[in-house]
Amino acid sequence: MDEQFDLLMDAGIQQEKIFLSTIMPLLKNAGSSHNADPDDITARTGESYSSIYFRASLIARIRLRGKLHTLSIPDRLADAIPSGIPVSKLASEKQFSRISFHESTAVSILESATLLAIERVPKEFDCCSRYIQCSDAKVCIHPDPKLSMLCGYRRILKSGRIFYGENRNIK
């Protein structure tokens, strides 16, 4: 009986690795499109599940081992789960929204959760010396994605408010 369980677990780990090898290029591409460094999006396979991270921030847990296949999203990113998808909570994982794993929905949920994680990186400064060029371009143009992610003005521009330059719309 234990040998069957071990084989089932090994097969699940392999399924997780295959899924991660498919999804990671998509998530890295989505991150790049939002000026994030693709190398900041990583995956790890652990003893119980595989995890996807943006920097040190957990995006999701994937479990394709045993009979129950699940995708768990931290509650801070639960907006990535479309309405109508049944969500469950476990007493042992109160900070996660858990859904049944279906590859067709998992891909779009993981992409949305990744973009939310990128957008929710806390700002560390309001703007840099490129604020006029950013205003003219209507997006952050800083060449270093790691610094760009920390800019507060980037979020303001994304909301459509422009304080400086030829596109100024805030008096």
Side-chain angles (χ1 to χ4, degrees):
M1 183 72 169
D2 286 338
E3 285 181 32
Q4 287 178 332
F5 182 75
D6 288 343
L7 286 174
L8 191 59
M9 292 300 281
D10 287 344
I13 291 170
Q14 287 307 313
Q15 281 183 305
E16 288 173 16
K17 287 181 178 180
I18 290 167
F19 177 73
L20 289 172
S21 70
T22 302
I23 192 75
M24 290 306 291
L26 298 172
L27 299 181
K28 289 175 180 281
N29 188 44
S32 291
S33 74
H34 280 68
N35 207 27
D37 184 344
D39 293 334
D40 284 342
I41 301 169
T42 59
R44 295 183 207 136
T45 299
E47 289 185 28
S48 301
Y49 48 79
S50 294
S51 302
I52 299 173
Y53 295 88
F54 175 67
R55 296 182 177 168
S57 177
L58 180 67
I59 295 171
R61 291 180 178 166
I62 301 163
R63 181 174 168 83
L64 302 178
R65 304 168 197 189
K67 294 179 183 177
L68 187 62
H69 296 182
T70 59
L71 175 63
S72 298
I73 303 290
D75 285 343
R76 66 184 171 68
L77 302 175
D79 295 344
I81 302 171
S83 61
I85 292 184
V87 174
S88 63
K89 295 278 195 178
L90 294 179
S92 61
E93 294 183 334
K94 292 178 184 172
Q95 72 278 20
F96 287 91
S97 296
R98 187 183 215 187
I99 61 173
S100 291
F101 182 90
H102 299 286
E103 190 168 339
S104 58
T105 56
V107 171
S108 64
I109 292 170
L110 288 169
E111 188 172 7
S112 294
T114 299
L115 295 177
L116 276 175
I118 291 167
E119 289 304 313
R120 293 184 176 166
V121 170
K123 75 171 186 154
E124 289 191 13
F125 57 90
D126 290 320
C127 61
C128 72
S129 62
R130 293 177 174 84
Y131 67 96
I132 297 288
Q133 295 94 334
C134 294
S135 296
D136 291 346
K138 299 181 183 179
V139 294
C140 179
I141 62 156
H142 198 288
D144 183 350
K146 291 183 188 290
L147 282 176
S148 173
M149 300 283 15
L150 305 175
C151 176
Y153 192 49
R154 175 183 65 89
R155 287 193 187 96
I156 292 170
L157 289 170
K158 185 169 178 144
S159 75
R161 296 178 297 157
I162 303 170
F163 293 141
Y164 310 101
E166 63 189 36
N167 296 312
R168 180 180 177 175
N169 60 16
I170 302 293
K171 304 287 182 205

